[in-house]
Amino acid sequence: MRVLITGGAGFVGSHVADVLAARGHEVRLLDVLLDKAHGGNLAPPWVAEHDFVRGDVRDEELVTKLVRDADVVCHQAAVVGHGLDPSDGPAYTAHNDYGTAVLLAAMFAAGRKRLVLASSMVVYGEGAYACDRHGPVRPGPRTPEDLERGRYEPSCPECGSPVEWRLVTEDARLDPRSTYAATKVAQEHLASAWARQTGGQVWALRYHNVYGPRMPRDTPYAGVASLFRSALSRGEAPTVLEDGLQCRDFVHVHDVALANALAVERAGERGALTPVNVCSGDPHTVGELAGQLARACAGPAPRVVGGARPGDVRHVVADPRRALTALGFRAEVSFVDGVSAFARDPLRDPVAG
């Protein structure tokens, strides 16, 4: 098939391009090469073997032209990461939400009906929890006072008792707690409305904590694995917030690219958006990630410093079952193998400016 990959020069998008091409698909990459993700205004070397177009997903004329030549659109283009503060809001919404709206309008004009959307686990906010007394519960946001006192675990909103995390499924209520998260929810809603209006088919792949080669480094927009790796490359101990026991699902970018390829190759439900967790199915704590990476880099042990960033959540651990039943996807890269390799993987150059 002919696949247009927006954000195709980026961390995830470039791996998606490689995997799709290896599986015999014809890929075309569109990327504006934002400084927040790229270390300059030149296309990275790994896109040289693909058909690459430098351009903005918000350019209606260009995007409409490219969409006409595609059977499937794989939409990776976005400003990503936790960000700095609300001043990031205009950039996030302009690129993520307006850009998605332009793309969907172009697909409608061209009569294209199949979209694979890069979504994120951040749409969930906190993950799933259960109280021994009240069963499944949804804890509220942690207060600054609790975080300052080192009270990191959420509590039952009914009785205040401790709660335990559970696997979060795709039917969980969406509860974005950052600007980036809000834009990813909006992307899903825009794509869902488009699907209902046009009979289109959308896979919304909710990536969990992705890591691997080509991650951007030395930028606040990078993922936690990249931040740890950058510190270790400077000979510094990785800095772990809270107590290091916050639990996540760290999934290798190879597996994320594979999930995208399977979604490209399998039609979704007509007139609907189908969300799918893309995860390893093998959760670990942030402290474990820092420790494993420090050992692999032969660097200093992690430094646990407490505190938390505004909007941070405690535990988000994915249920992988829908990915298996709907797409036939099962992660292939183990935590130890993936993190050990990440200690030597090439990263993207530092962000300009």
Side-chain angles (χ1 to χ4, degrees), residues 89-111:
Y92 275 109
T93 54
H95 288 281
N96 299 3
D97 298 336
Y98 180 67
T100 298
V102 170
L103 175 66
L104 294 171
M107 293 182 68
F108 171 68

Side-chain angles (χ1 to χ4, degrees), residues 9-34:
F11 168 42
V12 174
S14 63
H15 285 279
V16 173
D18 290 348
V19 169
L20 284 172
R23 294 167 76 95
H25 299 285
E26 180 183 335
V27 299
R28 173 174 282 177
L29 283 53
L30 172 67
D31 204 299
V32 74
L33 301 180
L34 284 176

